[in-house]
């Protein structure tokens, strides 16, 4: 007697969950483009490291690890805040969502402040983008990441305003989810930048 | 007494909540990896250790914070392949650089 196999249908709850991506497809195309851009930066950095081993060996010891560490903690916290905001909007808790989003904006601005402080400390130590190949790469990657944090912060400010105006709720929050995914991408890239520029020699 | 217990329960629930515990673990791993920057003579084993930490952190962020654990599998695979692949390339290049630098 032939056995009957259960074929999953589109109405299957499990498959419905698996078919979804957080945010819009357009936002994910943008995220992939950004990841590719940073991928090229990392490869260029590693090639330069092979060609100039002494400069890249001595470089990380000359930049302040404290600011890099503080920025890592700030970005990890900001990712946690965004994650909490997403959980809150899915429960239709508008005020809680706004609270976590405001904390994320604050974290984004704190990151920019710490990065500016780091550049000032470098300048006081006589370090600049033209010092050597290591610092040229360091400034190129970190400044680019800073720009992405600024773009991300502006996006989070925008979605916070839309949330406050009631555009997002339990059933409709794709825009907010797209902004959250972009923010997590910024954090993910920094997780690789931190050891590459500050820790590993 | 009941109110005190409720507050204790609330605090306990918050601390054991998954997102918060992941954040705590991420902070802990970051502090451990930062301590490797203070070592005078970098060795290959510490590079491998830092890269493993980066992979664990990335995995938690992709799965739990980004929410890709229960999302479309293709999306999750692309992001994970990128992150794991890039971390491996970084680890191998840095390890190669360290061994060749030490042999000079």
């Amino acid at each position: 007697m032939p056995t009957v196999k259960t074929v999953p249908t589109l109405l299957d709850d499990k498959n419905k969950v698996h078919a979804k991506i957080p945010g819009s497809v357009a936002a994910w195309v943008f995220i992939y483009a950004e990841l590719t851009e940073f991928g090229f930066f990392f490869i260029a950095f590693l090639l330069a490291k092979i060609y100039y081993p002494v400069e890249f060996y001595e470089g990380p010891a000359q930049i302040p690890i404290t600011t890099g560490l503080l920025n890592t903690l700030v970005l990890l916290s900001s990712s946690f805040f965004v994650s909490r905001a997403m959980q809150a909007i899915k429960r239709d808790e508008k005020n809680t969502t706004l609270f976590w989003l405001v904390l994320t904006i604050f974290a984004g601005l704190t990151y920019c402040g710490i990065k500016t402080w780091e550049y000032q400390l470098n300048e006081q130590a006589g370090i600049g983008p033209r010092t050597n190949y290591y610092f040229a790469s360091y400034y190129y990657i970190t400044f680019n990441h800073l720009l992405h944090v600024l773009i991300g912060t502006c996006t989070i400010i925008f979605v916070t305003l839309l949330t406050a105006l009631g555009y997002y709720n339990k059933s409709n929050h794709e825009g907010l989810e797209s902004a959250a995914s972009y923010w997590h991408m910024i954090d993910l890239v920094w997780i690789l930048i931190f050891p590459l520029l500050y820790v590993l020699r | 007494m009941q109110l005190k217990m409720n507050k204790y329960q609330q605090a306990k629930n918050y601390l054991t909540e998954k997102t918060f515990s992941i954040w705590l673990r991420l902070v802990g791993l970051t502090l451990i990896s930062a301590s490797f920057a203070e070592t005078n003579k970098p060795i290959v084993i510490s590079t491998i250790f830092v890269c493993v930490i980066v992979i664990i952190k990335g995995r938690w962020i992709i799965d739990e914070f980004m929410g890709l654990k229960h999302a479309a599998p293709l999306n999750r695979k692309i992001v994970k392949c990128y992150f794991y692949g890039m971390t491996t390339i970084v680890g191998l290049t840095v390890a190669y650089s360290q061994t060749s630098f030490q042999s000079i």
Side-chain angles (χ1 to χ4, degrees), chain A residues 25-47:
Chain A
V25 176
W28 273 96
V29 170
F30 188 55
I31 288 169
Y32 288 143
E34 299 282 35
L35 286 175
T36 310
E37 182 195 359
F38 276 103
F40 283 125
F41 291 163
F42 294 145
I43 289 165
F45 180 90
L46 294 171
L47 285 174

Side-chain angles (χ1 to χ4, degrees), chain A residues 18 20 32 35 84 87 201, chain B residues 17 19 39 72 75 82 98:
Chain A
H18 277 270
K20 200 185 172 306
Y32 288 143
L35 286 175
R84 274 296 163 99
Q87 287 171 4
R201 283 193 282 159
Chain B
E17 195 269 333
T19 321
T39 52
N75 212 41
Y82 170 88
Q98 283 170 347

Side-chain angles (χ1 to χ4, degrees), chain A residues 17-22 28 32 35-36 38-39 42-43 46 49-50 53-54 57 65 69 72-73 76-77 79-80 83-84 87 100 181 184-185 187-188 191-192 194-196 198-201, chain B residues 14 17 19-20 23 26-27 30-31 33-34 36-40 42 47 50 54 57-58 61-62 64-66 68 70-73 75 78-79 82-83 86-87 89-90 93-94 97-98 101:
Chain A
V17 170
H18 277 270
K20 200 185 172 306
I21 57 163
W28 273 96
Y32 288 143
L35 286 175
T36 310
F38 276 103
F42 294 145
I43 289 165
L46 294 171
K49 188 178 173 66
I50 292 168
V54 180
Y57 179 83
I65 179 81
L69 178 63
T72 310
L73 298 178
L76 286 175
S77 304
S79 252
F80 167 68
S83 192
R84 274 296 163 99
Q87 287 171 4
W100 291 113
S181 296
H184 290 309
M185 182 277 293
D187 184 28
L188 199 63
I191 282 194
L192 202 49
F194 176 62
L196 187 65
Y198 297 80
V199 180
L200 298 173
R201 283 193 282 159
Chain B
Y14 194 84
E17 195 269 333
T19 321
F20 186 77
W23 174 76
L26 285 168
V27 169
T30 303
L31 294 174
S33 66
F36 283 96
E38 304 299 326
T39 52
N40 288 328
T47 301
V50 169
V54 169
K57 283 166 71 178
I61 287 178
I62 292 164
E64 308 298 337
F65 283 1
M66 274 183 146
L68 291 183
H70 304 292
N75 212 41
I78 290 171
V79 178
Y82 170 88
F83 195 75
M86 206 49 86
T87 310
I89 292 168
V90 166
T93 313
V94 173
S97 174
Q98 283 170 347
F101 194 78

Side-chain angles (χ1 to χ4, degrees), chain A:
Chain A
M1 190 177 167
T3 53
V4 181
K5 285 183 182 174
T6 51
V7 179
T9 64
L10 287 173
L11 294 173
D12 188 343
D13 276 353
K14 199 180 167 189
N15 285 304
K16 260 167 76 179
V17 170
H18 277 270
K20 200 185 172 306
I21 57 163
S24 69
V25 176
W28 273 96
V29 170
F30 188 55
I31 288 169
Y32 288 143
E34 299 282 35
L35 286 175
T36 310
E37 182 195 359
F38 276 103
F40 283 125
F41 291 163
F42 294 145
I43 289 165
F45 180 90
L46 294 171
L47 285 174
K49 188 178 173 66
I50 292 168
Y51 278 98
Y52 305 98
V54 180
E55 289 177 9
F56 280 73
Y57 179 83
E58 291 169 349
Q62 294 173 55
I63 51 172
I65 179 81
T66 318
T67 48
L69 178 63
L70 282 175
N71 266 343
T72 310
L73 298 178
V74 166
L75 276 187
L76 286 175
S77 304
S78 71
S79 252
F80 167 68
F81 299 152
V82 170
S83 192
R84 274 296 163 99
M86 285 313 303
Q87 287 171 4
I89 199 73
K90 283 172 186 171
R91 291 193 303 265
D92 228 354
E93 294 171 0
K94 185 181 159 185
N95 288 339
T96 316
T97 309
L98 285 172
F99 170 75
W100 291 113
L101 286 174
V102 168
L103 280 183
T104 310
I105 295 165
F106 181 71
L109 296 174
T110 307
Y111 175 92
C112 296
I114 293 171
K115 190 50 74 187
T116 311
W117 178 38
E118 184 178 309
Y119 287 162
Q120 279 176 348
L121 289 174
N122 286 347
E123 207 178 312
Q124 284 166 11
I127 294 166
R130 290 170 194 270
T131 305
N132 61 31
Y133 284 105
Y134 169 77
F135 288 108
S137 315
Y138 157 83
Y139 274 101
Y140 195 76
I141 293 176
T142 55
F143 191 73
N144 234 295
H145 188 265
L146 177 66
L147 289 179
H148 283 80
V149 172
L150 279 171
I151 295 166
T153 308
C154 291
T155 313
I156 295 288
I157 290 171
F158 183 66
V159 291
T160 306
L161 289 173
L162 290 181
T163 308
L165 293 170
Y167 276 84
Y168 299 124
N169 53 46
K170 191 179 178 179
S171 54
N172 172 34
H173 50 263
E174 195 182 65
L176 182 57
E177 209 162 32
S178 300
S181 296
Y182 184 79
W183 191 265
H184 290 309
M185 182 277 293
I186 293 170
D187 184 28
L188 199 63
V189 168
W190 181 259
I191 282 194
L192 202 49
I193 292 176
F194 176 62
L196 187 65
L197 297 181
Y198 297 80
V199 180
L200 298 173
R201 283 193 282 159

